[in-house]
Amino acid sequence: MPELPEVETIVRGLNQAIVGKRIKEVKSNFPSIVKQDFDLFRKAILHKRIKGLRRRGKYLLIDLSVGKTILVHLGMTGNLRWIKSNNFPSESLIKGEGCVKQGNKHDHLIIKFYATNFELRYKDLRKFGRIKAFDSGKEKDIPELKKLGPEALNLTSSQFIKIFRGRKGRIKSALLNQKIIAGLGNIYADESLFEAEINPEQKPDKLCPEKLKRLHKAILKILKKAIRAGGSSVENYFNIRGEMGNFQLQHKVYGREGKPCKRCGTRVKRIKINKRSSFFCPRCQS
């Protein structure tokens, strides 16, 4: 699932590509990807101008003129592509082997704009994403957004310590809870815990303020490095131009079960925490 760095990369790319452009046409070959009546959704955004894009947790928000906002969650396999009309990349194009000029059955939403021959396409192999439009002034009432905790990148050290100190359960589960802190997912929780030398099964209420401070610093470091690298392309993530991210090349533990720890050489271990895989070094994170 795309996490904070991947969504942030898409937001920054689209801010350069579509801000100021006006929506000319909205089509879908799978209207159910829009979590409201599709005709009402289309009418709500048609002919509106793009004012700007921003991120809230793992959600992408597209602000339009006349007080409308489009919410996009990429689910497990969703991605947004800014692509020349009638020039549809196949998987081989991403590998640099050519182009197929035909539609793709997984392109579930197509938005065309005035005065450009490029269009925005939402592709989602597993169809777990969600898209909807709402009145911008009612953002605090949107169910997907009102339950989110503070942004991971915006917390100060003291705020972070206050949130996690004394909390029950396991630290990995707490980091993944979007109601506690917004934006972190499996990849960046594992990488941050490794950076801070904290075991994913450790209980937050057993962590002293100094260790929590170290974890907060690690989260900021890892997220910022991942954003600079364009995110992690582990399975289906690509940026708006179909390019892979590069942060997967810097992973220290995530996806490296059985491989030597890059810090001490001990083999990386994988365990399940709340049915989610967690990768860690049993020596560095003892």
Side-chain angles (χ1 to χ4, degrees):
M1 178 184 293
E3 301 177 28
L4 187 157
E6 289 76 46
V7 178
E8 183 66 26
T9 298
I10 292 170
V11 165
R12 294 183 182 188
L14 288 178
N15 261 319
Q16 295 180 352
I18 68 173
V19 169
K21 293 180 171 58
R22 195 158 64 94
I23 296 173
K24 178 182 180 181
E25 188 177 351
V26 181
K27 300 189 299 183
S28 177
N29 61 21
F30 183 68
S32 294
I33 203 73
V34 174
K35 305 308 176 184
Q36 57 195 169
D37 182 86
F38 182 78
D39 287 335
L40 292 178
F41 169 80
R42 188 180 66 83
K43 291 176 182 177
I45 70 173
L46 201 58
H47 308 307
K48 304 297 189 298
R49 194 175 298 277
I50 309 295
K51 291 175 60 179
L53 291 95
R54 53 199 170 93
R55 180 191 53 76
R56 180 71 175 98
K58 301 177 188 178
Y59 289 91
L60 182 148
L61 300 172
I62 306 173
D63 292 318
L64 310 177
S65 57
V66 200
K68 293 290 183 181
T69 297
I70 301 173
L71 175 147
V72 180
H73 191 283
L74 299 172
M76 295 292 291
T77 58
N79 64 72
L80 286 162
R81 295 173 297 156
W82 180 240
I83 185 172
K84 197 170 184 178
S85 298
N86 300 318
N87 188 22
F88 310 106
S90 65
E91 296 304 318
S92 62
L93 176 63
I94 293 170
K95 298 175 183 177
E97 298 174 4
C99 177
V100 177
K101 293 188 176 181
Q102 60 184 21
N104 188 306
K105 66 179 182 180
H106 298 298
D107 288 335
H108 300 312
L109 184 69
I110 302 97
I111 300 177
K112 297 187 178 185
F113 298 85
Y114 290 98
T116 181
N117 61 349
F118 277 74
E119 58 195 34
L120 186 63
R121 288 185 163 248
Y122 176 76
K123 178 181 179 180
D124 193 345
L125 297 177
R126 299 182 66 181
K127 302 178 182 177
F128 288 161
R130 61 188 300 110
I131 299 170
K132 64 193 295 186
F134 62 89
D135 293 332
S136 304
K138 297 181 179 179
E139 184 171 324
K140 292 183 179 180
D141 299 324
I142 301 303
E144 294 90 344
L145 301 178
K146 70 179 183 180
K147 64 185 179 182
L148 294 178
E151 285 290 322
L153 283 173
N154 294 346
L155 286 171
T156 65
S157 180
S158 59
Q159 289 171 332
F160 185 87
I161 293 171
K162 185 177 180 179
I163 288 172
F164 286 94
R165 192 176 185 187
R167 188 172 291 277
K168 303 296 182 180
R170 289 174 284 192
I171 186 63
K172 171 68 181 289
S173 298
L175 291 176
L176 295 183
N177 189 334
Q178 300 302 295
K179 295 180 181 179
I180 298 174
I181 181 172
L184 285 177
N186 227 22
I187 295 173
Y188 301 106
D190 281 355
E191 291 297 310
S192 297
L193 287 167
F194 174 79
E195 180 72 22
E197 299 183 13
I198 295 173
N199 189 288
E201 293 191 291
Q202 180 66 269
K203 295 181 179 181
D205 61 354
K206 301 298 183 183
L207 293 172
C208 66
E210 186 58 38
K211 284 191 175 181
L212 287 172
K213 183 177 180 180
R214 193 167 71 202
L215 177 57
H216 173 254
K217 183 178 179 181
I219 289 171
L220 295 182
K221 177 182 177 180
I222 293 298
L223 289 178
K224 290 176 181 179
K225 284 179 66 176
I227 291 170
R228 287 197 296 270
S232 298
S233 290
V234 176
E235 293 184 13
N236 299 287
Y237 167 72
F238 300 94
N239 68 17
I240 66 167
R241 302 190 185 280
E243 301 163 337
M244 296 176 65
N246 290 304
F247 193 67
Q248 70 276 7
L249 303 177
Q250 302 179 47
H251 289 176
K252 302 292 180 62
V253 287
Y254 184 83
R256 301 190 70 250
E257 179 185 12
K259 295 180 180 180
C261 170
K262 294 187 177 182
R263 183 185 288 141
C264 74
T266 303
R267 292 190 181 279
V268 172
K269 188 176 180 180
R270 178 173 70 92
I271 59 174
K272 290 277 189 175
I273 298 179
N274 290 345
K275 300 181 180 180
R276 303 289 301 277
S277 290
S278 292
F279 299 89
F280 69 104
C281 173
R283 181 177 179 182
C284 293
Q285 296 170 260
S286 59

